[in-house]
Amino acid sequence: MAERVWERFLTDQDKAHLATRPAKRRGFGAKPAVLLIDLYRWVFGDKPEPILESIKTWPGSCGLAGWKALPHIQRVLAKARELQIPIVHMTGLDGAGVEGWSEARGRKNREESPEERDRLRRRYDIVDEVKPLPGEAVLRKASPSAFWGTPLIGHLNYLDVDTIITCGESTSGCVRASVVDGTTYRFRMIVVEEGVFDRHESAHAMNLFDMNQKYADVLPLAEVLAYLDTWKAAREPRSATHGNGEALTANI
Amino acid sequence: MAERVWERFLTDQDKAHLATRPAKRRGFGAKPAVLLIDLYRWVFGDKPEPILESIKTWPGSCGLAGWKALPHIQRVLAKARELQIPIVHMTGLDGAGVEGWSEARGRKNREESPEERDRLRRRYDIVDEVKPLPGEAVLRKASPSAFWGTPLIGHLNYLDVDTIITCGESTSGCVRASVVDGTTYRFRMIVVEEGVFDRHESAHAMNLFDMNQKYADVLPLAEVLAYLDTWKAAREPRSATHGNGEALTANI
Amino acid sequence: MAERVWERFLTDQDKAHLATRPAKRRGFGAKPAVLLIDLYRWVFGDKPEPILESIKTWPGSCGLAGWKALPHIQRVLAKARELQIPIVHMTGLDGAGVEGWSEARGRKNREESPEERDRLRRRYDIVDEVKPLPGEAVLRKASPSAFWGTPLIGHLNYLDVDTIITCGESTSGCVRASVVDGTTYRFRMIVVEEGVFDRHESAHAMNLFDMNQKYADVLPLAEVLAYLDTWKAAREPRSATHGNGEALTANI
Amino acid sequence: MAERVWERFLTDQDKAHLATRPAKRRGFGAKPAVLLIDLYRWVFGDKPEPILESIKTWPGSCGLAGWKALPHIQRVLAKARELQIPIVHMTGLDGAGVEGWSEARGRKNREESPEERDRLRRRYDIVDEVKPLPGEAVLRKASPSAFWGTPLIGHLNYLDVDTIITCGESTSGCVRASVVDGTTYRFRMIVVEEGVFDRHESAHAMNLFDMNQKYADVLPLAEVLAYLDTWKAAREPRSATHGNGEALTANI
């Protein structure tokens, strides 16, 4: 693999230490699902703009990083739909009368303009580019992790999933928290490198490093797509006359 | 206290055993909240009818038991609103694309009539008699316990609650599961005896017994209301001229 | 099936209601584990005695009910070991400096006799009859449910378990709480009727009713053993010359 | 505050973005506890050595970073004991027959030397410098977060804690995971900057950044100690003749 995005942030001592113990690959399992985290309006804004520009209207914006990730996420989503892999969309819990996990850290109750109110109203709308289709799971959370305060673990167990392919934002926030919890629940966690993004370049890179080192396989999109095709092929009936493919499929 | 509702279900040996070790009272704490569990259309139907009648149209109905409990629950709710005690309404999670916890146990996918579809559409609507007011928390769950798959524990911790006053249904299902989890999280659990109900008389009585024996104080409505008034009085400024009551209230 | 143990506790209305909607069977899944809950000294005492006798020295005793269940539990355990099914033993968390979930309900700090101290010291020792073998999981909990405050869900996911066969005590306490949580996590829960016990006859019966109605298949021992044999046979290589059984086994 | 340890890792764009929105302080609450995470032999080894040296015998070592943090952690611990603030020590769960969360990522089952076996046997021993005293809570975990698979949340709720002061390792692993979960449970999370450490310098710095930005107040030791003294003073009776301090104390 070429140089990883985090390498320029490592110190010399870090590099020397890592040379003695390369990150282990965990590998894919037998039954994948796709988890799309927080792809909502609040972090995109209404159009692609550099972050220092976009935050003037959308304070939670990740700038161009999000818009660049979108086509890659769309490819993961299209592949999952094609192969009928379970898809879970996460977004924020709103209007439930409970404060979010970050509310206590100083969000204002100041007067809002009509434009601000409109943006707040739309903040947890998943953007059209990756909009859930009817029947796909959409869960709402009030915490960084997709697992906390949601029935996600029950849903994945019900589907007998063992591998979670993750896209979304932010790399250093909800993606990281969800990946840690996924590993904790003993899923095989896969992070699509081009499919996650953050509002800070250094945090993006270093959280990919942490996840790859400890909790997940951080892989390029191409490798994830190739795995999914191989995975599907292995589950197809080998031929119309063979027929023991169904038993295998049923086993998964 | 007069004879409890469960006594007629106990065996002689049970009574002899219990005579040697009466249930302990846990007592109220310093900061109560009210938790109303699953007071939705599915268990009431559209009008009061005996259960063997009502289940012909509303298969999940609890019959008259629910309608009898409603005025008592309304008194708890009114008191909580009067005293500005936090209120949490629970109902079912619907339309999220995840199966409920009981789905795997054989719910049909058979053809439904328009009337059935209408009832299913309304099944998790909280009934008008105890309808949430704007600002009151409304959480949706996909499991028996109000704590599982919801941000309830975070919300209660945020509010510094230590005592949970519970009403709702069913005594043997979601109420019981929520009370066990509440005790597990080390809250003081209070069950309002007239405010919980079930579709089975024996299960109602015996789950009250279990909860009172192990997890909660199962109390008559009057005692709960009296506690709340006393609690509030203790937090009032002692007199208009004293005025250090506000600091105390803020402390709680 | 013959008359169930709970039927004599049901009211006429309950029976009429239940006649219209019999409990559904959930069925076994593809990968079972055995969960033995709280088979520790505290509930057995040192010898079989009627409960009204045994509680004079062992206040938490379940009397003869526990000793009668033991041989049945031993058969489940022996079968699980024979078939190499994962086994998890639960017991109480002690000496960790955290209060148990029931401590707040009035346990005394009074002076204890040397005999009492000895019994307290041994209270969470799993009894010899069902003693864990090296390598079997032993988890310690501070709550009714085997899932709460323990890594049980991670362990079962790691092993890809989908079916949990439950024995232990008390039917109305830790067994019930664990079964509710198991169903919540979307496992198929099986309760071995002869392998669970309680200190109250009515609570034992009615909690079996509740579990069978809502959360689990409550089955006679013979049926569970028969399933396990069938399950194993289906995973054996069909013949020595066939040899594709190993792949199947590895898949599970 | 002087330059923070993470600033040299930030990109220019990150700095420009952060200049527009400084991290908010959350502040201390009313009832603190101290949480010491994974201060066990495995990350210290038997003596202070530079990391590239120490990993030759202790592969999980954090090198000198851990030994440098120890005196600071000892000061936090001494202050907590002096002020009778609850203390919780976390370490690894061993010998329970369940695999750790990282086991699946490639730990070998190769032959171990007697020295290696000795080190593995001692790996989760909390080091003498911060050894738990009798009565202090010691919880064992099988996951990064101190909250997962342990009764920690119940214990903290029981004690009515609202503020958690955190020390330990690793900054990018178990400390980070525990801080995210603590915030999720709506505690006020405080990280003692000199009291946490990591095996990678860049990951240490950037995880402090992430935590300070999103989840916690990352504070110098001196500030934490000053808060604790102030906190205690505010809870002392103002004078022997006043006496309404007790009520305040009881309120906390």
Side-chain angles (χ1 to χ4, degrees):
Chain A
M1 201 170 277
E3 193 186 76
R4 306 298 305 251
V5 64
W6 52 76
E7 288 181 29
R8 69 180 175 114
F9 295 95
L10 304 177
T11 68
D12 290 343
Q13 178 178 299
D14 293 346
K15 286 176 189 164
H17 180 271
L18 289 162
T20 71
R21 54 203 65 232
K24 303 255 177 45
R25 284 283 282 273
R26 182 152 188 192
F28 291 90
K31 182 76 189 289
V34 166
L35 180 65
L36 303 184
I37 300 175
D38 293 358
L39 294 166
Y40 44 58
R41 187 60 63 193
W42 190 248
V43 298
F44 286 95
D46 283 319
K47 62 174 188 288
E49 284 180 303
I51 189 165
L52 297 176
E53 204 53 40
S54 59
I55 55 174
K56 292 174 186 167
T57 39
W58 290 91
S61 166
C62 290
L64 296 176
W67 294 93
K68 279 181 190 156
L70 265 185
H72 303 289
I73 301 171
Q74 288 177 304
R75 290 194 60 195
V76 173
L77 187 55
K79 178 62 73 181
R81 286 169 176 165
E82 175 198 332
L83 304 185
Q84 298 189 283
I85 289 167
I87 296 163
V88 181
H89 304 262
M90 304 299 309
T91 187
L93 177 67
D94 221 359
V98 304
E99 62 301 323
W101 60 274
S102 62
E103 244 87 294
R105 300 205 84 203
R107 291 220 181 136
K108 304 279 178 24
N109 277 327
R110 61 172 176 73
E111 202 61 34
E112 286 147 2
S113 70
E115 292 76 15
E116 283 175 307
R117 275 200 299 274
D118 171 65
R119 287 192 288 267
L120 282 171
R121 194 182 45 73
R122 294 191 289 134
R123 64 178 170 170
Y124 291 143
D125 294 352
I126 295 176
V127 295
D128 296 340
E129 288 83 349
V130 292
K131 201 175 165 174
L133 291 185
E136 292 174 357
V138 182
L139 295 175
R140 300 179 177 279
K141 64 190 177 63
S143 60
S145 168
F147 286 92
W148 193 91
T150 77
L152 181 58
I153 178 67
H155 182 60
L156 296 175
N157 278 359
Y158 181 76
L159 298 173
D160 204 16
V161 164
D162 66 1
T163 301
I164 302 175
I165 297 167
T166 310
C167 295
E169 66 81 29
S170 67
T171 318
S172 70
C174 298
V175 171
R176 163 75 174 256
S178 302
V179 164
V180 171
D181 275 2
T183 292
T184 291
Y185 280 115
R186 274 62 172 171
F187 292 96
R188 293 166 184 266
M189 300 304 297
I190 309 293
V191 176
V192 181
E193 185 163 344
E194 300 94 325
V196 293
F197 55 98
D198 202 283
R199 57 183 59 79
H200 297 125
E201 297 166 322
S202 50
H204 173 71
M206 285 305 299
N207 277 278
L208 287 180
F209 169 74
D210 287 342
M211 289 191 279
N212 193 60
Q213 198 68 18
K214 287 191 268 267
Y215 307 120
D217 293 347
V218 177
L219 299 177
L221 171 64
E223 197 167 329
V224 175
L225 295 177
Y227 153 74
L228 289 175
D229 282 327
T230 311
W231 171 83
K232 187 65 176 185
R235 264 126 205 101
E236 296 288 315
R238 272 151 223 167
S239 84
T241 54
H242 237 72
N244 74 334
E246 284 205 303
L248 266 169
T249 308
N251 243 349
I252 297 154
Chain B
M1 203 171 275
E3 193 185 75
R4 306 299 304 252
V5 64
W6 52 76
E7 287 181 29
R8 69 181 176 114
F9 296 94
L10 303 177
T11 68
D12 290 343
Q13 178 178 299
D14 294 346
K15 286 177 189 161
H17 180 271
L18 289 161
T20 71
R21 51 203 68 233
K24 302 256 178 43
R25 282 284 281 274
R26 182 152 188 191
F28 291 90
K31 181 79 190 284
V34 166
L35 179 65
L36 302 184
I37 299 176
D38 293 357
L39 293 166
Y40 45 58
R41 186 61 61 192
W42 191 247
V43 298
F44 287 95
D46 283 320
K47 61 174 188 288
E49 284 179 305
I51 188 165
L52 297 176
E53 205 51 42
S54 59
I55 56 173
K56 293 173 187 169
T57 40
W58 291 91
S61 165
C62 291
L64 296 176
W67 295 94
K68 277 182 191 153
L70 265 185
H72 303 289
I73 301 171
Q74 287 177 302
R75 290 194 59 195
V76 173
L77 187 56
K79 179 62 74 180
R81 286 170 176 164
E82 174 197 333
L83 304 185
Q84 299 189 283
I85 289 168
I87 297 161
V88 181
H89 304 262
M90 303 300 308
T91 187
L93 178 67
D94 220 0
V98 304
E99 62 300 323
W101 60 274
S102 63
E103 244 85 296
R105 301 206 82 200
R107 291 218 181 141
K108 304 279 178 21
N109 279 327
R110 62 173 176 71
E111 203 61 33
E112 286 146 2
S113 69
E115 292 76 17
E116 283 175 307
R117 275 200 298 276
D118 171 64
R119 288 193 286 265
L120 282 170
R121 194 181 46 73
R122 295 191 290 134
R123 65 178 169 171
Y124 291 143
D125 293 352
I126 294 176
V127 295
D128 295 341
E129 288 83 349
V130 293
K131 200 176 166 175
L133 292 184
E136 292 175 358
V138 182
L139 295 175
R140 298 178 178 279
K141 65 190 177 63
S143 61
S145 169
F147 287 92
W148 193 91
T150 76
L152 180 58
I153 177 68
H155 182 60
L156 296 175
N157 277 0
Y158 181 75
L159 297 173
D160 204 17
V161 164
D162 65 1
T163 301
I164 301 176
I165 296 167
T166 310
C167 295
E169 68 78 31
S170 68
T171 318
S172 70
C174 298
V175 171
R176 163 74 174 256
S178 302
V179 164
V180 172
D181 275 2
T183 293
T184 292
Y185 281 115
R186 275 60 173 172
F187 291 96
R188 293 165 184 266
M189 299 304 296
I190 310 293
V191 176
V192 181
E193 185 162 345
E194 299 95 325
V196 294
F197 56 98
D198 202 283
R199 58 184 57 79
H200 297 126
E201 297 167 323
S202 52
H204 173 73
M206 285 306 299
N207 277 278
L208 288 180
F209 169 73
D210 287 341
M211 289 191 280
N212 193 59
Q213 199 67 18
K214 287 190 267 269
Y215 307 121
D217 293 347
V218 177
L219 300 177
L221 172 64
E223 196 166 330
V224 175
L225 296 177
Y227 153 73
L228 289 175
D229 281 329
T230 311
W231 172 84
K232 186 65 175 184
R235 266 124 203 101
E236 294 289 313
R238 274 149 221 170
S239 85
T241 53
H242 239 71
N244 73 335
E246 284 204 303
L248 266 169
T249 307
N251 241 351
I252 297 156
Chain C
M1 200 171 277
E3 191 185 78
R4 306 298 305 253
V5 64
W6 52 77
E7 288 180 29
R8 69 179 175 114
F9 295 95
L10 303 177
T11 68
D12 290 341
Q13 178 179 299
D14 294 346
K15 285 176 190 164
H17 180 272
L18 290 161
T20 70
R21 50 203 69 232
K24 303 255 177 44
R25 282 284 280 276
R26 182 149 188 195
F28 291 90
K31 182 78 189 288
V34 166
L35 180 65
L36 303 183
I37 299 176
D38 293 359
L39 294 166
Y40 44 59
R41 188 59 64 192
W42 190 248
V43 297
F44 287 95
D46 284 319
K47 62 173 188 287
E49 284 179 306
I51 189 166
L52 297 176
E53 204 52 41
S54 60
I55 56 173
K56 294 174 186 167
T57 41
W58 291 92
S61 166
C62 292
L64 297 176
W67 295 93
K68 278 180 190 155
L70 264 185
H72 303 289
I73 301 171
Q74 288 177 302
R75 291 195 58 197
V76 173
L77 186 56
K79 179 60 75 182
R81 285 169 177 164
E82 176 198 331
L83 305 185
Q84 298 189 283
I85 288 168
I87 297 162
V88 181
H89 304 261
M90 303 301 308
T91 187
L93 178 67
D94 221 358
V98 303
E99 63 300 325
W101 60 274
S102 62
E103 243 86 294
R105 301 205 82 203
R107 291 218 181 139
K108 303 280 175 26
N109 278 328
R110 63 175 175 69
E111 202 61 34
E112 286 146 2
S113 70
E115 292 77 15
E116 283 176 307
R117 275 200 299 275
D118 171 63
R119 287 193 287 264
L120 282 171
R121 193 182 46 73
R122 294 191 290 134
R123 65 177 168 169
Y124 290 142
D125 294 352
I126 293 174
V127 295
D128 296 341
E129 288 83 350
V130 293
K131 199 175 166 174
L133 293 183
E136 292 174 358
V138 182
L139 296 176
R140 297 177 178 280
K141 66 189 175 63
S143 60
S145 169
F147 286 92
W148 193 90
T150 76
L152 180 58
I153 178 67
H155 183 60
L156 296 175
N157 278 0
Y158 181 75
L159 298 172
D160 202 17
V161 164
D162 65 0
T163 301
I164 302 177
I165 296 166
T166 310
C167 295
E169 67 80 30
S170 68
T171 317
S172 69
C174 298
V175 171
R176 162 76 174 255
S178 302
V179 164
V180 172
D181 275 2
T183 292
T184 291
Y185 281 116
R186 275 60 171 172
F187 291 97
R188 292 165 184 268
M189 300 304 296
I190 310 293
V191 176
V192 181
E193 183 162 346
E194 300 95 324
V196 294
F197 56 98
D198 202 283
R199 56 184 60 79
H200 298 125
E201 297 166 322
S202 51
H204 173 72
M206 285 305 299
N207 277 278
L208 288 180
F209 168 72
D210 287 341
M211 289 191 281
N212 193 61
Q213 198 68 19
K214 287 190 267 266
Y215 307 121
D217 293 348
V218 177
L219 300 176
L221 172 64
E223 196 167 331
V224 174
L225 295 177
Y227 153 74
L228 288 175
D229 282 328
T230 311
W231 172 83
K232 187 65 177 185
R235 266 125 203 102
E236 295 288 312
R238 273 149 222 171
S239 85
T241 54
H242 238 72
N244 74 336
E246 283 205 302
L248 265 170
T249 307
N251 241 352
I252 298 155
Chain D
M1 202 172 277
E3 192 185 77
R4 306 298 304 252
V5 63
W6 52 76
E7 288 182 26
R8 69 179 175 113
F9 295 94
L10 303 177
T11 67
D12 290 343
Q13 178 178 300
D14 294 347
K15 285 176 190 164
H17 180 272
L18 290 161
T20 71
R21 52 202 66 233
K24 302 258 177 43
R25 283 284 282 274
R26 182 150 187 193
F28 291 90
K31 181 77 189 288
V34 166
L35 180 65
L36 302 183
I37 300 175
D38 293 359
L39 294 167
Y40 45 58
R41 187 59 65 192
W42 190 248
V43 297
F44 287 95
D46 283 321
K47 61 173 188 287
E49 282 180 307
I51 188 166
L52 297 176
E53 205 51 42
S54 59
I55 56 173
K56 293 174 186 168
T57 42
W58 291 90
S61 166
C62 292
L64 297 176
W67 295 94
K68 279 181 190 154
L70 266 185
H72 302 290
I73 300 171
Q74 289 177 302
R75 290 194 59 195
V76 173
L77 187 55
K79 178 62 72 181
R81 286 168 176 165
E82 176 198 331
L83 304 185
Q84 299 189 282
I85 289 168
I87 297 162
V88 181
H89 304 261
M90 303 300 308
T91 186
L93 178 67
D94 221 359
V98 303
E99 62 302 323
W101 59 274
S102 62
E103 244 86 295
R105 301 205 81 204
R107 290 218 182 139
K108 303 282 174 26
N109 278 328
R110 62 174 176 72
E111 202 61 33
E112 286 147 3
S113 69
E115 292 77 16
E116 284 176 306
R117 276 200 298 277
D118 171 64
R119 286 192 287 264
L120 282 171
R121 195 181 45 72
R122 294 191 290 133
R123 64 177 168 170
Y124 291 144
D125 294 353
I126 294 174
V127 295
D128 296 340
E129 288 83 350
V130 292
K131 201 176 166 174
L133 293 184
E136 292 174 358
V138 182
L139 295 175
R140 298 178 178 279
K141 67 190 175 63
S143 61
S145 167
F147 286 91
W148 194 91
T150 76
L152 180 58
I153 178 68
H155 182 60
L156 296 176
N157 278 0
Y158 181 75
L159 298 173
D160 202 15
V161 164
D162 65 1
T163 302
I164 302 176
I165 296 167
T166 311
C167 296
E169 67 79 30
S170 66
T171 317
S172 70
C174 298
V175 171
R176 164 73 174 255
S178 302
V179 164
V180 172
D181 275 3
T183 292
T184 291
Y185 281 115
R186 276 58 172 173
F187 291 97
R188 293 165 184 266
M189 300 303 296
I190 309 293
V191 176
V192 180
E193 184 163 347
E194 300 95 324
V196 294
F197 56 97
D198 201 284
R199 56 184 59 78
H200 297 126
E201 296 166 322
S202 50
H204 173 72
M206 284 306 299
N207 277 278
L208 287 180
F209 169 74
D210 287 341
M211 289 192 279
N212 194 61
Q213 198 68 18
K214 287 190 268 270
Y215 306 122
D217 293 348
V218 177
L219 300 176
L221 172 64
E223 197 167 331
V224 175
L225 297 177
Y227 153 73
L228 289 174
D229 282 328
T230 310
W231 172 83
K232 188 65 176 184
R235 264 123 206 104
E236 296 287 314
R238 272 150 222 169
S239 83
T241 54
H242 238 72
N244 73 334
E246 284 205 304
L248 267 170
T249 307
N251 243 351
I252 299 156

